[in-house]
Amino acid sequence: MSNQQLKFLLSRYLQGKATPAEAAQVEAWYDSFNETPLSANDKARLKDEIISSVLQEIHPPARVRKLYWWYAAAIAVLLVSAVPFFITKKKPLPVNADQLVSTPAGSRKTIRLPDGTVVQMNAGTSLLIPGNFGMKDRAITLTGEAFFTVATDVLHPFIIHAGSIQTTVLGTSFNIRAWPEEDTWAIGVSTGRVKVSDETNRQVMAACLTANKSLVHHRTSGTSDITDTDAAMLGAWRNNIFHFNNSSMAEIGQELQRQYNIPVVVNGEGKNRGHYKISFSREPLTKVLKVLAGLTGITYTIKSDQVMIQVPKTN
């Protein structure tokens, strides 16, 4: 019996249209697999990755859906030409190569992961997606800042590694800011809830961080605070808004450098003192610096190859 004939018979069988003779042919073909039964792991992978899509396409009646799931697996195997794997059980499922996605300074990017999760990446951000993403869990590594809208999948937790911080979710939207050069990192939840842990000392920092809450972690002191936050301002950069909450001028300068792709040098004794809480629209750099000077009292010089910011002395 050819593959085309077998495909036709299996399709009719799953739709409940097979004649008694055709059903006998399908069952005889399936019985040939009994000599090499699938392991539990093989069944789980097969069920997760193949069968759901097959059943969605065929839409069998309820009485047929009650048949053992491996009948659907049989047609899935045929359709993807993977019968040898399931007969021999000697070859592992193929694993794709790791993928690194990055955004250069001055640009942003929105990507969709294989599970449907949408990631909006800020300028100068990188995201490492393992080749085995989705097989056991959905773990990725973030450097920089990104806003996540995570697709719900209760069987495969979504995990973001950012330095020593691990954020675990099932389905929600949130912003993570974790720049290696900055002392303060923050995870803010827009919808749903997340769990935040410190991978270095294996401690839970927030068992359940909910909407309109942010966890702010101070790397130097190792302390963390949970504060109220405005969900509308989380990931404000996506809407071309600069939003700084208790940021130092050095941190503000680093953000301008990422967004405008020009070196920004900040001088002055108070450059690392974090106390600026300001928001303003992203405009041309000259206008942004003018607004910033009016709000903070800084002075600045714009050159062709860099921007110099001088922070005034404080009493």
Side-chain angles (χ1 to χ4, degrees):
M1 182 167 49
S2 68
N3 281 355
Q4 185 174 3
Q5 290 172 318
L6 184 55
K7 176 181 175 181
F8 173 77
L9 289 178
L10 287 170
S11 179
R12 285 177 58 80
Y13 189 94
L14 290 176
Q15 296 180 66
K17 297 179 180 179
T19 65
E22 291 172 339
Q25 284 183 284
V26 171
E27 290 169 2
W29 176 79
Y30 169 71
D31 287 341
S32 68
F33 286 92
N34 288 341
E35 295 178 2
T36 55
L38 299 177
S39 68
N41 289 337
D42 288 343
K43 288 181 180 179
R45 285 196 295 265
L46 183 61
K47 183 179 180 181
D48 290 344
E49 300 179 18
I50 301 176
I51 296 177
S52 60
S53 61
V54 173
L55 293 178
Q56 288 171 6
E57 292 180 5
I58 296 178
H59 301 292
R63 66 182 182 85
V64 178
R65 290 193 201 106
K66 294 179 181 179
L67 295 174
Y68 294 114
W69 63 262
W70 48 79
Y71 281 99
I75 189 173
V77 171
L78 174 67
L79 294 178
V80 299
S81 300
V83 172
F85 165 76
F86 295 103
I87 294 177
T88 62
K89 299 195 305 173
K90 292 180 179 179
K91 295 181 181 179
L93 287 173
V95 177
N96 297 323
D98 293 354
Q99 182 181 8
L100 180 64
V101 181
S102 60
T103 54
S107 68
R108 300 169 189 165
K109 183 180 295 184
T110 298
I111 65 172
R112 183 181 294 273
L113 299 180
D115 66 331
T117 292
V118 176
V119 185
Q120 295 168 274
M121 302 170 61
N122 204 348
T125 295
S126 65
L127 198 67
L128 178 62
I129 308 168
N132 61 354
F133 178 88
M135 291 185 179
K136 181 179 179 181
D137 54 32
R138 298 176 289 165
I140 59 175
T141 301
L142 169 72
T143 302
E145 182 174 17
F147 190 94
F148 295 83
T149 303
V150 177
T152 301
D153 183 347
V154 295
L155 297 179
H156 300 88
F158 195 96
I159 302 171
I160 303 100
H161 300 281
S164 62
I165 304 301
Q166 174 179 303
T167 304
T168 305
V169 303
L170 292 177
T172 184
S173 59
F174 54 96
N175 191 82
I176 296 182
R177 183 182 179 91
W179 299 105
E181 64 272 21
E182 294 184 1
D183 179 64
T184 302
W185 289 359
I187 298 95
V189 179
S190 179
T191 62
R193 55 188 180 181
V194 305
K195 175 183 177 182
V196 184
S197 304
D198 188 328
E199 294 186 290
T200 301
N201 56 30
R202 298 182 179 181
Q203 290 185 348
V204 175
M205 304 165 71
C208 185
L209 194 66
T210 57
N212 296 302
K213 295 287 185 180
S214 290
L215 183 144
V216 179
H217 177 64
H218 308 281
R219 299 167 64 197
T220 300
S221 63
T223 59
S224 300
D225 305 306
I226 296 177
T227 62
D228 293 331
T229 190
D230 183 0
M233 295 307 295
L234 288 173
W237 52 269
R238 298 174 298 150
N239 300 314
N240 292 318
I241 296 176
F242 287 120
H243 177 64
F244 300 102
N245 187 10
N246 200 36
S247 300
S248 68
M249 188 54 63
E251 291 172 337
I252 294 175
Q254 289 168 347
E255 183 65 25
L256 296 178
Q257 179 171 294
R258 285 189 290 267
Q259 296 297 331
Y260 293 97
N261 194 22
I262 184 173
V264 177
V265 179
V266 181
N267 296 312
E269 295 179 359
K271 68 177 184 178
N272 291 313
R273 297 171 187 168
H275 60 274
Y276 294 100
K277 187 174 183 179
I278 52 179
S279 300
F280 52 90
S281 298
R282 187 182 189 276
E283 301 285 351
L285 182 57
T286 53
K287 187 173 181 178
V288 166
L289 289 171
K290 184 177 180 179
V291 171
L292 194 60
L295 293 172
T296 65
I298 65 164
T299 57
Y300 62 90
T301 303
I302 303 177
K303 298 182 179 180
S304 59
D305 59 344
Q306 69 176 2
V307 173
M308 302 286 293
I309 294 178
Q310 183 67 40
V311 181
K313 293 182 178 179
T314 57
N315 296 329

